[in-house]
Amino acid sequence: MAAYRPPVLPPSEITPQEIWLDRRRLLAGAVAAGLVAPAIASGKALAAPLEAAKGGYDPGEPLTPQKDVTSYNNFYEFGSGKSDPARNSGDFKPEPWALEVGGLVAKPKSFDLDALRGLGLEERVYRMRCVEAWSMVIPWIGLPISALLDQVEPLASAKYVAFETVVRPEEMSGQRGAFQPLDWPYVEGLRLDEARHPLAILAMGLYGETLPNQNGAPVRLVVPWKYGFKGAKSLVKITLTEKEPPSTWNLLAPHEYGFYANVNPEVDHPRWSQASERRIGAGGFFGSDRRPTLPFNGYAEEVASLYAGMDLRAKY
Ligand SMILES: Nc1nc2c(c(=O)[nH]1)N[C@H]1C(S)=C(S)[C@@H](COP(=O)(O)O)O[C@H]1N2
Ligand SMILES: [Mo]
């Protein structure tokens, strides 16, 4: 596969609506001056500044405003409405944390957050396309999944990577009560070569800050060429397996959600079209910014070779 060469654009050209690097410097200054520490200590503001090297990937499109990225979410552990996660996740405690990595590996290991950060955080701007036909452009901070896999040394028999997320009914209101739309834990999976692709990351921050609870604190999966539901939030376990792992939405409605879930404008969801998408935060919230959806969410040049010879209508 040809090495990906990202477009090189200065932030001034790609962030007309939010000069977020300036905001980030201001925030860092405020922390140094002790101005935001009380809020962080109270557990309410969990978005502390997070340093990362500049990663290469960037579609060169205007960023979705931070307020939309952090207030219009899917995270059923906190409720099924788009505004539920921001409203209901204040009591969730993403630190301390342990991410267990095991299964078919030579060196199973538990990672705390410092160990994960130590694997090399990078800032990368990705498009995110939800299966519900809206999209965002988000500046993530994360590490390539392959950096984590290198630490545990997958065995030759390992063919898939299974992801499992946290179960904490005492902190997650959507996991208690009479009606629960999903089975917990939320689970997802990738083929090992997909997980090792340099675009696939474990995100620990966005907009230069620690990941807010509603976006999947403290660590979540981001696979930009697949529908958003593959991006399992608040990961506690990663297991290398021989067989294709289960995935939550596929278990719930297999004819609507496949294992692969590659963004594909030619394969409609049974109940709606996937040919176009509404870009959140552009042209007004319910505005008319509707644009054609791109194969593999615009990352075809980088990832199409992973699926050479596969029938992408059958393997949706
Ligand atoms: N644990 C968990 N992860 C999850 C979900 C969820 O309900 N629970 N929703 C998924 C869906 S459908 C989408 S579109 C993305 C949304 O990520 P965002 O809220 O950061 O935009 O998270 C995904 N990850
Ligand atoms: Mo989604």
Side-chain angles (χ1 to χ4, degrees):
M1 182 179 30
Y4 175 66
R5 268 185 289 288
V8 179
L9 292 174
S12 57
E13 279 177 35
I14 60 173
T15 61
Q17 34 190 340
E18 292 217 1
I19 312 302
W20 62 286
L21 277 170
D22 279 354
R23 184 172 179 282
R24 192 176 159 188
R25 267 181 232 114
L26 275 174
L27 242 167
V31 168
L35 294 175
V36 301
I40 291 169
S42 78
K44 288 300 173 199
L46 291 159
L50 188 63
E51 283 308 316
K54 184 80 192 147
Y57 299 98
D58 192 328
E61 294 170 9
L63 299 174
T64 302
Q66 188 174 8
K67 66 169 167 29
D68 295 322
V69 175
T70 58
S71 64
Y72 188 80
N73 300 101
N74 273 337
F75 200 167
Y76 279 60
E77 286 85 335
F78 295 112
S80 55
K82 300 291 178 235
S83 53
D84 288 343
R87 191 171 42 227
N88 300 334
S89 63
D91 291 335
F92 182 70
K93 293 175 192 64
E95 284 194 64
W97 196 261
L99 175 60
E100 309 282 341
V101 188
L104 299 173
V105 301
K107 297 181 176 164
K109 194 179 163 185
S110 175
F111 295 82
D112 65 18
L113 296 180
D114 279 339
L116 290 174
R117 293 181 195 114
L119 294 176
L121 293 181
E122 276 185 359
E123 196 167 71
R124 298 170 171 200
V125 181
Y126 282 163
R127 299 185 195 89
M128 181 174 78
R129 171 59 156 77
C130 183
V131 75
E132 294 160 274
W134 46 265
S135 62
M136 300 193 190
V137 179
I138 301 175
W140 297 106
I141 291 176
L143 54 114
I145 302 175
S146 63
L148 181 81
L149 295 177
D150 287 343
Q151 298 287 309
V152 298
E153 300 176 15
L155 303 175
S157 52
K159 299 284 182 274
Y160 293 90
V161 187
F163 299 87
E164 191 177 310
T165 76
V166 77
V167 181
R168 283 192 196 167
E170 56 302 342
E171 293 177 25
M172 305 178 112
S173 54
Q175 289 184 333
R176 36 177 212 259
F179 175 72
Q180 294 179 25
L182 301 177
D183 280 335
W184 316 112
Y186 192 100
V187 291
E188 259 304 339
L190 295 171
R191 240 170 38 198
L192 180 54
D193 60 335
E194 295 179 311
R196 276 216 177 272
H197 191 282
L199 282 170
I201 61 171
L202 297 176
M204 302 185 74
L206 56 79
Y207 264 104
E209 299 173 359
T210 300
L211 205 58
N213 286 348
Q214 60 268 34
N215 292 89
V219 56
R220 59 88 60 86
L221 181 60
V222 175
V223 191
W225 70 93
K226 293 177 181 283
Y227 290 115
F229 68 84
K230 296 297 281 187
K233 295 174 165 182
S234 306
L235 296 169
V236 292
K237 198 176 192 183
I238 294 180
T239 310
L240 282 283
T241 66
E242 202 176 337
K243 295 211 172 75
E244 187 179 289
S247 52
T248 287
W249 288 96
N250 178 253
L251 290 171
L252 190 79
H255 54 292
E256 298 193 2
Y257 310 103
F259 172 78
Y260 281 93
N262 292 316
V263 174
N264 190 341
E266 290 174 11
V267 176
D268 288 337
H269 185 281
R271 291 182 280 133
W272 57 80
S273 166
Q274 295 293 7
S276 69
E277 65 200 58
R278 180 170 58 90
R279 181 61 55 85
I280 300 287
F285 193 78
F286 290 104
S288 55
D289 192 311
R290 194 157 265 290
R291 56 184 76 203
T293 287
L294 302 171
F296 299 105
N297 201 25
Y299 300 96
E301 205 180 308
E302 290 82 39
V303 303
S305 62
L306 290 170
Y307 310 101
M310 272 177 61
D311 178 355
L312 297 176
R313 287 187 170 274
K315 298 283 187 186
Y316 55 93

